[in-house]
Amino acid sequence: MAKKIFKTSLILLLSISILCGCEPYKDPDGEAIQSLLSATEENLLYASYLRINGTCNYTESYQYKTANSPGKPLTMHTVNEDTTIKYKRTYQDAQNYMSCLSVSGEYAYTNISANKYKPAKRQYGYTGYYGVVDDNEKEHLECNDFPIKKAPVIEDLICPDLTDCGRSLDYSDPDYYILTITYGFAKFDHYVTLISKEYRADNYITGMKYYYDKDTKVLKRIEIQGSKDKTQTKEIATVKVTEGFLYSFNMELNISEYSFKEHKMIVCPEE
């Protein structure tokens, strides 16, 4: 019944718009955004060689406070993770192209509550290959203490599907068109999850920006930020305790090089 009422209301609204000579809403930046996405796809995804470098920094702190303790909460431990991202892609034709994504991270955990101020460190990462050779899909993954099953497809982040996403385009910068995504971050969350090993709190991306060169309209940089404050109060032996987790991350990808000159193809290792 509700669907029928909604459908009738929509038909009535469209009829009124037509009678009044009103046109349906049109995104004023829609054509400009599409031209940026098209120029980026044509130049980056069809370049014979593409190289992207990036970084991701993730931090986490755990704070603790009892109802009887004065002042601010005590920070009990901190986590800091720095990740280096290296991506290369070679393209010959629709039947032959290959991508290689290398991610290496260093994790530092400092237990302040135990007076261990020297952080415990460890390193991890992976290298993932994916693409097509002679019209046959190829894929290979080498992991070093980073338990993932598949590398993220960076091409889909370079040329994103903005369906159900809020977006705005800033023309004021002298060098770049800046596309800001304002909502609809859930579809991008897995990129961070598959690049930062410690990032596990789903859906707390708070901002995304794409920077396009004003002369070529080709993408130059992607920035993804996020933060989350998770606080809970519980009772331990009749004492009220407040625990707080503060998460934040910043990820940046820079288009370092792309060329249409003939280039040696990336070779996907055999399983």
Side-chain angles (χ1 to χ4, degrees):
M1 181 67 180
K3 289 183 178 179
K4 187 175 181 181
I5 293 172
F6 175 76
K7 186 176 180 181
T8 304
S9 300
L10 183 60
I11 293 171
L12 181 60
L13 180 61
L14 290 172
S15 300
I16 293 171
S17 298
I18 293 169
L19 290 172
C20 295
C22 303
E23 294 184 1
Y25 172 76
K26 187 177 181 180
D27 183 355
D29 296 320
E31 290 185 6
I33 291 172
Q34 187 55 51
S35 70
L36 297 173
L37 294 174
S38 297
T40 296
E41 180 179 357
E42 291 169 7
N43 284 276
L44 298 189
L45 300 193
Y46 294 102
S48 56
Y49 179 68
L50 168 64
R51 180 167 60 90
I52 297 174
N53 291 322
T55 58
C56 183
N57 173 255
Y58 170 90
T59 61
E60 172 189 318
S61 66
Y62 169 64
Q63 297 181 332
Y64 176 94
K65 188 180 189 302
T66 66
N68 300 326
S69 58
K72 296 180 179 180
L74 296 174
T75 299
M76 307 301 284
H77 76 245
T78 61
V79 169
N80 186 79
E81 179 195 57
D82 287 309
T83 304
T84 300
I85 306 159
K86 295 181 179 180
Y87 171 83
K88 293 181 180 179
R89 172 184 165 93
T90 51
Y91 180 89
Q92 181 175 305
D93 52 40
Q95 290 75 42
N96 293 276
Y97 54 88
M98 185 60 60
S99 295
C100 176
L101 174 65
S102 177
V103 171
S104 58
E106 182 176 85
Y107 163 95
Y109 175 92
T110 305
N111 189 340
I112 297 172
S113 62
N115 294 320
K116 295 179 181 178
Y117 291 99
K118 186 177 181 180
K121 293 186 177 181
R122 69 172 187 267
Q123 295 179 328
Y124 41 77
Y126 66 84
T127 300
Y129 297 82
Y130 56 89
V132 171
V133 177
D134 294 331
D135 212 21
N136 295 309
E137 291 188 3
K138 296 285 185 179
E139 194 173 338
H140 180 76
L141 185 63
E142 301 169 359
C143 294
N144 173 27
D145 192 27
F146 200 129
I148 66 168
K149 295 181 179 179
K150 192 171 184 177
V153 179
I154 296 299
E155 293 91 325
D156 292 341
L157 186 59
I158 295 170
C159 295
D161 174 9
L162 298 180
T163 306
D164 301 324
C165 292
R167 63 270 183 101
S168 65
L169 192 61
D170 182 1
Y171 301 83
S172 63
D173 189 279
D175 300 314
Y176 301 106
Y177 296 110
I178 304 175
L179 171 63
T180 301
I181 298 177
T182 55
Y183 63 82
F185 301 122
K187 66 171 65 180
F188 302 102
D189 193 70
H190 71 283
Y191 291 105
V192 188
T193 304
L194 293 174
I195 286 176
S196 166
K197 184 178 178 182
E198 293 305 310
Y199 175 93
R200 287 296 177 269
D202 289 339
N203 302 330
Y204 70 89
I205 295 176
T206 56
M208 293 181 67
K209 290 187 176 182
Y210 283 71
Y211 293 78
Y212 297 87
D213 183 273
K214 276 201 167 177
D215 293 328
T216 63
K217 295 186 176 182
V218 176
L219 179 68
K220 293 292 290 182
R221 184 168 77 251
I222 302 172
E223 295 177 351
I224 307 177
Q225 299 88 29
S227 62
K228 190 172 185 177
D229 185 347
K230 184 180 179 181
T231 304
Q232 64 180 14
T233 301
K234 59 185 180 182
E235 195 169 284
I236 301 177
T238 72
V239 178
K240 283 189 176 181
V241 174
T242 301
E243 295 180 310
F245 282 92
L246 304 175
Y247 308 95
S248 68
F249 78 92
N250 289 279
M251 188 165 84
E252 183 174 308
L253 297 173
N254 292 284
I255 312 302
S256 301
E257 180 184 358
Y258 68 94
S259 170
F260 287 89
K261 295 180 180 179
E262 187 175 346
H263 197 281
K264 184 179 179 180
M265 292 290 291
I266 295 171
V267 177
C268 179
E270 295 295 330
E271 295 291 345

